[in-house]
Amino acid sequence: MSRGLIIFVVVAALLGMYGCSSYNGLVDKDTNVDKYWSQVQTQYQRRADLIPNLVRTVQGVANFEKSTLQSVIEARASATSIKLSADQLTPENIQKFQAAQDQLGGSLSRLLAVSENYPQLKATQNFSELQAQLEGTENRIAVARNDFNTAATDYNKSVRSFPNNIFAGIFGFPRKGLFEASAAAQNAPTVDFGTQK
């Protein structure tokens, strides 16, 4: 055998082993992103499942603002209509999903703020329990989104790093989108205790 052929065989074997390792590493990270995406979906579904009970409880109070309830119902319908599978987690799709969820979160915040004007509503045990469950669910959503972003960032770094980016391109491992802070979170709330003139 010629020396050139031996070198070629050794180099090809090394590249083949590294390619398998690189591919398997990308599959592992992609699977991890899928796992955390399912946790995000589970928490958003939990919130969506609580909303009908909250709306029915609030509807039981006479003279409650119908437009506020309607906006919550419509936002829930919009948020639950966007279904993303793990292979659809492009930055654009994540942004659409997040926008619908942010709209629902804003509607729920307005509902809870308006409920402050109804002491008989706040006094009901069912409303208090649902409010506490929603608050807990919002915390779970934040944790799930953070965990997803961590996994997706790790995956994205692997997909963009050389030489993994070559294998990612060949085997179809696109970048994943990340959750970002909502536009409303960019502005700090103004606190005024009536001391300004």
Side-chain angles (χ1 to χ4, degrees):
M1 251 207 266
S2 74
R3 185 174 215 180
L5 182 62
I6 293 172
I7 292 173
F8 175 76
V9 169
V10 169
V11 169
L14 289 173
L15 284 175
M17 287 187 324
Y18 182 78
C20 288
S21 172
S22 180
Y23 176 81
N24 289 338
L26 290 172
V27 168
D28 183 51
K29 290 178 187 221
D30 188 46
T31 302
N32 201 33
V33 169
D34 294 352
K35 175 181 84 171
Y36 284 110
W37 176 246
S38 68
Q39 291 177 6
V40 168
Q41 288 181 310
T42 298
Q43 296 311 320
Y44 276 121
Q45 186 61 51
R46 176 181 164 80
R47 178 174 73 174
D49 291 345
L50 288 172
I51 291 171
N53 292 332
L54 183 67
V55 168
R56 280 193 295 277
T57 300
V58 171
Q59 282 175 330
V61 175
N63 301 324
F64 195 84
E65 283 88 352
K66 302 291 185 220
S67 63
T68 304
L69 283 175
Q70 191 61 34
S71 73
V72 170
I73 292 167
E74 290 170 3
R76 180 186 183 273
S78 173
T80 57
S81 71
I82 298 178
K83 305 276 189 215
L84 295 179
S85 65
D87 60 337
Q88 298 172 316
L89 300 178
T90 63
E92 298 80 23
N93 286 343
I94 290 284
Q95 192 173 30
K96 290 176 190 172
F97 181 83
Q98 181 177 350
Q101 295 297 336
D102 287 348
Q103 180 185 4
L104 178 56
S107 295
L108 282 172
S109 294
R110 283 189 297 283
L111 174 71
L112 295 175
V114 168
S115 71
E116 295 293 319
N117 298 329
Y118 295 86
Q120 71 275 25
L121 175 62
K122 287 177 54 181
T124 66
Q125 181 179 359
N126 194 25
F127 181 78
S128 296
E129 288 173 1
L130 287 168
Q131 188 175 12
Q133 287 180 26
L134 273 173
E135 289 169 359
T137 299
E138 292 299 328
N139 289 335
R140 289 181 178 140
I141 288 170
V143 168
R145 283 173 50 150
N146 187 48
D147 290 346
F148 171 81
N149 277 354
T150 300
T153 299
D154 185 43
Y155 167 86
N156 287 341
K157 280 195 282 187
S158 290
V159 165
R160 296 178 69 202
S161 299
F162 181 80
N164 285 351
N165 60 346
I166 296 169
F167 295 106
I170 292 170
F171 294 114
F173 287 94
R175 288 184 62 211
K176 305 288 186 184
L178 301 173
F179 284 101
E180 299 174 5
S182 69
Q186 301 300 319
N187 301 319
T190 303
V191 178
D192 182 5
F193 294 109
T195 56
Q196 295 180 349
K197 296 194 182 204

